[in-house]
């Protein structure tokens, strides 16, 4: 089944509550998928700085000296903020690529969850309530975010197999459904230069959108292309640095409901996920149409 | 009147109370507060109880209803009134996918819009939708009537058997073996009675078009192999 949530704020006054609202939405969707859970939170970027979220199976061994070792290896300064099995490494944006390269040598077992100026990604095996608690999601502020609780169908229950999938800077995707042409698509995307961490069909969808946007499409156009090129069942919720998009396949078996007020746009697999949002009683609530692209951008929403 | 506040009382208590109403009992009107999208609200009613739900419900509300009258003052999730046997279910907001699926009797009224697969495999239920319906509605419908005051999405009545479809607005496309049929006086009378039962007063039967099965896919015929 899987459960998806997403929240895109239009009112900056809600930003301190983003993590708490999103965490509650995700926990409500626990019974749609108990295998793993994850969230991507977009936080206001600091000028000139970028972030890499990494995960370790042995955080007590990998993280304590990481800051110093990164500084020695890359020559720049890196700040490492540890959160349970994850750490957010903040570096100057022009050192991002060098830091990622340095990480491969220094700590080859670390897994990169995502990178960019704004996004932080936290995901682990386990129930949403445990995942949001261990990373302190409820205390996080931000502009928008997406979350996913997984019932595994296409690949193994692992941390890397959890959603969101991030394959480009500040881009991420959560998926409910299953794709039938992901193996072919993975091969063609790999030939185009994309690297894959898992056998998961949803990672292919994320890489598809990343590749489309790298070729100059905006999020809306990339999602429209997915309707032609992806085969199978899907409800996608995707995030970019300033954008938030939703897409369902033409059959639209996978449930989806959206709500919009002057303060936010929200997505849930079920209405239950939305009941705790402020002003939901008077929100415009609708079911997104099949094969129809919905997307919002902070620059347009502001 | 018994009132169940689902913010404080488990859903199971409500459904057990609904199932426990003895034949001939007087206290048959129930009110449900704070459903907050919960699943399976008022499922399995098997007597003439009346339930008013104040707020949106999740999956399968009023499923298998046999004789009850359920009104939802809000929207309904997937599968509302699925497999209804008899009685009346009214959704004052919108309904999600497969409303009234496999229903064998009774009346389902949706005052807003219904999403895809409304009335899929309907087997005797009557469904009246004030707004529009989504794609693949009445797929494999076997009997009963689907009345739509608004528009219908793609593939209406795909692989239809004997269900009667009436649409007032546009139809995006008809599914396999579904065709438009003439509105004869008996159809207008049938539709007028349905509109009356559903409380629709300001719309005339003459405004609708009728759709039904061409009956070419009923049983295997080698000449139709390409259409299966």
């Amino acid at each position: 089944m899987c459960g998806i949530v997403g929240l895109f704020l239009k009112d900056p006054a809600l930003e301190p509550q983003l993590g708490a609202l999103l965490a509650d939405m995700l926990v409500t969707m626990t019974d749609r998928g108990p295998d793993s859970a994850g969230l991507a939170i977009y936080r206001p970027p600091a000028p000139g700085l970028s972030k890499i979220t990494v995960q370790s199976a042995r955080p007590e061994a990998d993280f304590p000296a990481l800051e110093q070792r990164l500084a020695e290896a890359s020559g720049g300064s890196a700040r490492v903020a540890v959160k349970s099995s994850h750490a957010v490494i903040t570096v100057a944006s022009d050192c991002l690529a060098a830091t990622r390269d340095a990480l491969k040598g220094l700590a080859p077992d670390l897994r990169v969850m995502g990178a960019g100026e704004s996004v932080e990604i936290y995901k682990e095996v386990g129930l949403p309530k445990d995942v949001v608690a261990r990373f302190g999601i409820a205390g996080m502020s931000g502009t928008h975010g997406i979350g996913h609780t997984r019932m595994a169908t296409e690949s193994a229950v692992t941390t890397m197999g959890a959603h969101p999938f991030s394959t480009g800077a500040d881009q991420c995707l959560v998926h409910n459904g299953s794709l039938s042409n992901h193996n072919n698509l993975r091969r063609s995307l790999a030939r185009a230069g994309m690297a894959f961490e898992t056998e998961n069909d949803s990672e292919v969808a994320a890489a598809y959108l990343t590749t489309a946007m790298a070729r100059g499409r905006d999020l809306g156009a990339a999602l429209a292309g997915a309707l032609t090129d992806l085969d199978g069942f899907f409800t996608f919720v995707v995030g970019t640095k300033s954008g938030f998009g939703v897409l369902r396949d033409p059959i639209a078996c996978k449930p989806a409901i959206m709500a919009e007020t002057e303060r936010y746009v929200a997505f849930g697999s079920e209405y239950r996920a939305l009941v705790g949002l402020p002003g939901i009683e008077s929100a415009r609530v609708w079911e997104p149409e099949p094969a129809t692209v919905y997307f919002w951008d902070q620059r347009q929403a502001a | 009147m018994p009132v169940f506040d689902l913010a404080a009382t488990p859903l199971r208590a409500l459904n057990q109370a609904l199932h426990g109403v003895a034949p001939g009992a007087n206290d048959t009107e129930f009110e449900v507060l704070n459903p907050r999208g919960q699943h399976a609200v008022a499922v399995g009613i098997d007597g003439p109880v009346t339930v008013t739900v104040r707020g949106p419900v999740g999956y399968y509300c009023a499923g298998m209803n046999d004789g009850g009258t359920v009104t939802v003052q809000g929207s309904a999730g997937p599968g509302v009134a699925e497999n209804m046997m008899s009685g009346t279910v009214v959704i004052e907001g919108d309904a999600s996918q497969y409303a009234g699926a496999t229903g064998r009797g009774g009346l389902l009224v949706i005052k807003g819009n219904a999403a895809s697969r409304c009335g899929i495999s309907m087997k005797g239920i009557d469904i009246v939708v004030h707004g529009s319906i989504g794609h693949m509605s009445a797929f494999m419908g076997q009997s009963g009537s689907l009345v739509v005051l608004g528009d219908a999405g793609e593939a209406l009545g795909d692989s239809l058997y004997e269900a009667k479809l009436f649409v007032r607005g546009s139809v995006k496309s008809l599914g396999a073996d579904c065709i438009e049929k003439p509105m004869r006086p008996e159809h207008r009378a049938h539709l007028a009675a349905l509109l009356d039962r559903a409380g629709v007063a300001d719309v005339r039967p003459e405004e609708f078009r009728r759709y039904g099965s061409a009956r070419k896919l009923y049983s295997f015929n080698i000449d139709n192999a390409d259409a299966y």
Side-chain angles (χ1 to χ4, degrees):
Chain A
M1 277 201 303
C2 298
I4 307 179
V5 298
L7 186 59
F8 175 84
L9 301 181
K10 300 189 223 172
D11 179 0
L14 278 176
E15 288 179 11
Q17 297 177 54
L18 180 83
L21 292 170
L22 205 55
D24 281 351
M25 293 167 79
L26 190 63
V27 171
T28 307
M29 290 291 92
T30 299
D31 54 9
R32 297 193 64 88
D35 294 333
S36 62
L39 294 111
I41 298 235
Y42 289 85
R43 319 191 74 177
L49 296 177
S50 289
K51 297 183 278 193
I52 308 167
T53 312
V54 295
Q55 187 264 1
S56 169
R58 298 177 308 128
E60 66 289 346
D62 284 334
F63 290 152
L66 188 60
E67 199 166 276
Q68 191 186 345
R69 291 164 69 202
L70 270 174
E72 287 166 5
S74 68
S77 64
R79 210 175 71 237
V80 176
V82 176
K83 284 176 184 150
S84 184
S85 60
H86 287 41
V88 179
I89 303 166
T90 305
V91 295
S93 292
D94 54 7
C95 296
L96 184 65
T99 307
R100 285 189 77 149
D101 283 345
L103 273 173
K104 284 179 198 155
L106 285 172
D109 294 337
L110 285 187
R111 293 127 158 200
V112 174
M113 305 273 107
E117 293 177 18
S118 178
V119 74
E120 295 177 15
I121 292 180
Y122 302 93
K123 58 187 191 183
E124 276 296 355
V125 172
L127 294 173
K129 73 175 170 59
D130 300 327
V131 173
V132 300
R134 71 189 286 183
F135 298 119
I137 301 292
M140 291 185 189
S141 61
T143 53
H144 54 298
I146 62 178
H148 186 273
T149 181
R150 180 173 184 228
M151 181 173 281
T153 54
E154 287 281 314
S155 66
V157 178
T158 61
T159 300
M160 292 307 281
H163 300 220
F165 282 98
S166 180
T167 53
D170 283 317
Q171 296 167 12
C172 66
L173 169 143
V174 290
H175 171 207
N176 180 16
S178 60
L179 302 178
S180 47
N181 66 338
H182 63 101
N183 283 325
N184 266 344
L185 203 52
R186 183 185 287 108
R187 279 191 286 273
S188 63
L189 290 167
R191 277 197 298 275
M194 292 301 298
F196 290 90
E197 306 263 2
T198 71
E199 292 298 308
N200 193 298
D201 58 335
S202 309
E203 188 182 16
V204 176
Y208 171 86
L209 295 177
T210 297
T211 304
M213 286 188 274
R215 289 173 181 160
R217 292 185 179 182
D218 67 10
L219 175 59
L223 288 169
L227 286 169
T228 311
D229 294 331
L230 301 185
D231 190 29
F233 296 119
F234 53 86
T235 293
F236 294 139
V237 180
V238 301
T240 64
K241 189 176 161 191
S242 62
F244 177 78
V246 172
L247 180 68
R248 300 171 86 192
D249 67 78
I251 303 290
C253 288
K254 298 299 178 185
I257 189 153
M258 303 197 67
E260 184 169 15
T261 70
E262 289 184 351
R263 307 183 75 192
Y264 59 79
V265 176
F267 175 96
S269 291
E270 299 176 24
Y271 180 80
R272 285 186 300 153
L274 311 179
V275 297
L277 293 173
I280 189 67
E281 301 79 11
S282 54
R284 183 172 80 93
V285 176
W286 79 101
E287 197 161 291
E289 294 284 328
T292 304
V293 173
Y294 296 83
F295 86 108
W296 289 262
D297 193 280
Q298 275 165 356
R299 287 164 296 206
Q300 291 156 13
Chain B
M1 185 199 308
V3 177
F4 284 81
D5 182 350
L6 295 184
T9 307
L11 174 71
R12 189 169 292 237
L14 165 69
N15 285 343
Q16 278 180 343
L18 293 172
H19 302 165
V21 175
N26 291 324
D27 209 2
T28 58
E29 291 195 19
F30 290 76
E31 185 178 10
V32 179
L33 307 178
N34 294 310
R36 293 164 66 89
Q38 280 197 59
H39 299 168
V41 171
V43 156
I45 291 173
D46 64 352
V49 298
T50 301
V51 184
T52 303
V53 184
R54 304 202 190 278
V57 293
Y59 283 60
Y60 308 124
C61 176
M64 302 180 282
N65 179 37
D66 196 357
T69 300
V70 178
T71 303
V72 177
Q73 294 175 338
S75 59
V80 64
E82 186 168 86
N83 212 68
M84 173 151 66
M85 304 302 284
S86 68
T88 303
V89 174
V90 179
I91 308 302
E92 296 191 346
D94 295 332
S96 185
Q97 310 180 73
Y98 47 95
T102 75
R104 290 180 167 270
L107 175 67
L108 168 62
V109 179
I110 296 162
K111 294 194 175 174
N113 300 308
S116 61
R117 305 175 192 86
C118 181
I120 186 170
S121 197
M122 53 195 288
K123 300 174 183 178
I125 189 174
D126 292 318
I127 304 173
V128 178
V129 182
H130 288 218
S132 297
I133 58 172
H135 61 279
M136 297 291 281
S137 288
F139 174 53
M140 297 219 305
Q142 289 153 54
S143 89
S145 300
L146 172 61
V147 179
V148 184
L149 275 62
D151 303 328
E154 289 175 352
L156 175 70
D158 192 83
S159 305
L160 195 67
Y161 291 80
E162 287 302 295
K164 299 175 177 66
L165 316 182
F166 301 94
V167 182
R168 182 159 161 258
S170 65
V171 174
K172 203 161 187 184
S173 66
L174 293 172
D177 210 33
C178 183
I179 55 170
E180 185 175 350
K181 293 184 166 183
M183 278 280 259
R184 296 196 297 270
E186 66 265 34
H187 304 123
R188 279 195 285 275
H190 175 73
L191 177 55
L194 271 173
L195 290 169
D196 187 49
R197 279 173 63 206
V200 179
D202 52 347
V203 170
R204 291 177 303 118
E206 289 74 18
E207 297 169 25
F208 289 78
R209 289 166 176 251
R210 181 170 78 101
Y211 302 89
S213 174
R215 301 179 176 132
K216 287 183 176 167
L217 296 179
Y218 261 31
S219 51
F220 184 74
N221 179 337
I222 190 64
D223 293 335
N224 292 330
D226 289 344
Y228 290 111

